[in-house]
Each structure stands twice: as C-alpha cells, then as structure tokens.
C-alpha cells in the first residue's frame, strides 16, 4: 500500500505488510537490537514469535523509501489482559517500532504508528498497549503526542525500573 505523506515528509515512503520473518524485517530487527545495546547495554529480551504478527492476530509493517527498508512496526493481540481492564479480544500490543538513523525526523514513525492504529481498529482491536524505555526520549515524545497514556506494567519488562508502559483506546 502506498501512503500519501505531507509535503517534506519522505514522499516516497511505501508501507508494506510483511511477515516478521521477512529478510528486510529481520535486517531492521538487527538494527533496533544494536540500538538497544547502545542505549541499555543489551538487546531486547522479550520473546517475539514470528506467527504473532500474522493476520488476523496481528500485523507487521515495513516502511520503504526508494525501495530500501527504513522503518518498521507491528501489533499483536494479547491473549490475556495483563492488568488492563479490557476483554481479551480487544487488546493488542505495539512491538518493534523503529526508524533507521537516515529516516529519522521525517515523520516516518508517526506514519507507521497511525497505520498500525488504523489496521488494529479495523481488525477489532479496541485498545493498544506498548512499552518503551527511559533512554528513548524520541519514542516517549511520539507516544505521548499521539495520545498514549501511562498504564499498569505488563509483560516481560513489568519489573524493570527503566521500562515505561503506555496505552491508548482506539
């Protein structure tokens, strides 16, 4: 699918649905893991199963600029509410939001997040949750400016002091 972007914001960005195991997705996953090593001293240890992002239980997007992968993000339904006051079918988690250095400050993350919200809502998701970390001020600013608010801790990083948890009703 091709997206129309505002003037001055990567007009050639194309968002495509891809399996999590796709080689270009895995190239970006390796880049985000390297970023976590720099920012936190180690990679993300949360378990991600390739199949969790397959429709209708989830969706994974890759952002291509000039045919090259520059951004990604996905959502996956959660089997339990993990402290949220939502029924099991209407809750999903945003995972692996990332933009390479060369694509930053061009609105790509916001476009991916907007499309993830749209596709999740279309699939019947009523609430999205996510976690990020204190050493990712760009992500914090994106989520807060997009209407995400603090929620109870959940999942693998629930007990970690550097972890932040956000949620948004769709």
């Amino acid at each position: 699918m091709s997206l129309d972007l505002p003037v001055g914001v990567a007009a050639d960005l194309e968002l495509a649905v891809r399996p999590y195991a796709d080689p270009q997705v895995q190239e970006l996953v390796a880049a985000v893991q390297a970023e976590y090593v720099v920012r936190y001293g180690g990679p993300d240890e949360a378990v991600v199963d390739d199949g969790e992002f397959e429709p209708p239980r989830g969706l994974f997007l890759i952002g291509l600029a000039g045919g090259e992968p520059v951004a990604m993000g996905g959502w996956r339904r959660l089997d339990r509410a993990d402290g949220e006051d939502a029924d099991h079918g209407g809750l999903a988690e945003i995972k692996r939001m990332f933009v390479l250095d060369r694509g930053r400050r061009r609105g790509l993350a916001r476009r991916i997040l907007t499309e993830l919200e749209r596709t999740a809502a279309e699939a019947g998701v009523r609430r999205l949750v996510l976690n990020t970390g204190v050493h990712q001020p760009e992500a914090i600013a994106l989520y807060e400016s997009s209407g995400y608010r603090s929620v109870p801790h959940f999942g693998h990083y629930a007990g970690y002091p550097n972890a932040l948890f956000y949620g948004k009703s769709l």
Side-chain angles (χ1 to χ4, degrees), residues 64-88:
L64 302 161
E68 294 296 316
V70 294
M72 68 176 177
W75 61 266
R76 62 183 181 178
R77 290 186 189 273
L78 294 179
D79 291 330
R80 333 188 299 275
D82 285 317
E84 287 287 310
D85 291 329
D87 69 283
H88 304 320

Side-chain angles (χ1 to χ4, degrees), residues 40-65:
Y40 297 101
D44 182 354
E45 297 173 355
V47 176
V48 174
D49 175 357
D50 296 355
E52 293 176 317
F53 296 102
E54 290 181 16
R57 297 232 6 107
L59 183 87
F60 206 86
L61 295 175
I62 186 169
L64 302 161

Side-chain angles (χ1 to χ4, degrees), residues 36-165:
Y36 293 147
V37 170
V38 170
R39 293 189 188 213
Y40 297 101
D44 182 354
E45 297 173 355
V47 176
V48 174
D49 175 357
D50 296 355
E52 293 176 317
F53 296 102
E54 290 181 16
R57 297 232 6 107
L59 183 87
F60 206 86
L61 295 175
I62 186 169
L64 302 161
E68 294 296 316
V70 294
M72 68 176 177
W75 61 266
R76 62 183 181 178
R77 290 186 189 273
L78 294 179
D79 291 330
R80 333 188 299 275
D82 285 317
E84 287 287 310
D85 291 329
D87 69 283
H88 304 320
L91 184 68
E93 179 183 21
I94 298 282
K95 287 296 289 180
R96 296 291 187 257
M97 283 285 300
F98 180 67
V99 177
L100 290 174
D101 284 343
R102 69 178 182 262
R104 291 184 182 161
R105 306 201 52 79
R106 295 169 60 192
L108 305 185
R110 188 170 305 278
R111 287 300 295 175
I112 287 183
L113 183 60
T114 298
E115 186 66 4
L116 291 175
E117 291 173 349
R118 186 191 70 74
T119 57
E122 193 173 82
V125 172
R126 290 185 300 282
R127 185 157 177 79
L128 286 170
V129 294
L130 60 90
N131 77 282
T132 189
V134 297
H135 300 302
Q136 292 169 264
E138 309 90 340
I140 295 165
L142 170 67
Y143 298 134
E144 289 180 352
S145 69
S146 297
Y148 287 79
R149 299 296 175 249
S150 184
V151 297
H153 296 193
F154 64 91
H156 179 81
Y157 289 104
Y160 283 65
N162 288 333
L164 301 171
F165 299 84

Side-chain angles (χ1 to χ4, degrees), residues 14-16 18 22 24-25 28 60-64 69 71-72 112:
E14 176 187 350
L15 291 186
R18 295 280 175 84
D22 180 90
Q24 288 184 318
V25 171
L28 290 170
F60 206 86
L61 295 175
I62 186 169
L64 302 161
M72 68 176 177
I112 287 183

